[in-house]
Amino acid sequence: MSHTIQHKKKLLNRVRRIRGQVDAVAKALESEQDCYGVLQTLAACRGAMNGLMYEILDGHLRHHVHVPGRKLTAEQERATDELLDVIRSYLK
């Protein structure tokens, strides 16, 4: 079973929150809100999207790149964690 199916409800809830944030950007622009408020909302949207991207990447690496059912060596586990740390840093 794919990791996105296993965590479908959790992932969809994140998407719904992101949709709400994007709607807030549209409302802010429609109501001619000051640019500072729009920029803050955009930054929040970007952070939420990056968080979702990281979660999907993490699951993809752990469930599709690694051979399912095969135990990783300590070195492989460490390398996976290091790669995910780099990706997390990049997405911030």
Side-chain angles (χ1 to χ4, degrees):
M1 178 183 300
S2 174
H3 62 98
T4 55
I5 294 170
Q6 289 174 325
H7 304 289
K8 180 177 164 180
K9 184 176 181 179
K10 179 181 169 184
L11 294 170
L12 287 173
N13 284 338
R14 288 184 80 145
V15 170
R16 287 183 188 104
R17 283 192 302 273
I18 292 167
R19 183 182 301 140
Q21 289 174 315
V22 172
D23 288 344
V25 172
K27 287 177 187 176
L29 292 171
E30 287 171 357
S31 66
E32 300 177 2
Q33 192 179 83
D34 67 283
C35 59
Y36 179 76
V38 174
L39 290 169
Q40 281 188 310
T41 306
L42 284 170
C45 290
R46 180 176 181 240
M49 286 294 287
N50 285 344
L52 178 61
M53 173 72 79
Y54 177 80
E55 191 164 336
I56 299 290
L57 280 168
D58 180 294
H60 180 76
L61 179 62
R62 295 183 190 280
H63 292 86
H64 298 294
V65 176
H66 292 169
V67 178
R70 186 170 167 204
K71 181 133 174 80
L72 299 176
T73 66
E75 184 178 338
Q76 290 171 319
E77 197 64 54
R78 184 179 48 74
T80 298
D81 291 340
E82 287 173 353
L83 175 60
L84 289 169
D85 285 345
V86 168
I87 292 169
R88 184 181 304 117
S89 295
Y90 176 77
L91 291 173
K92 285 189 175 189

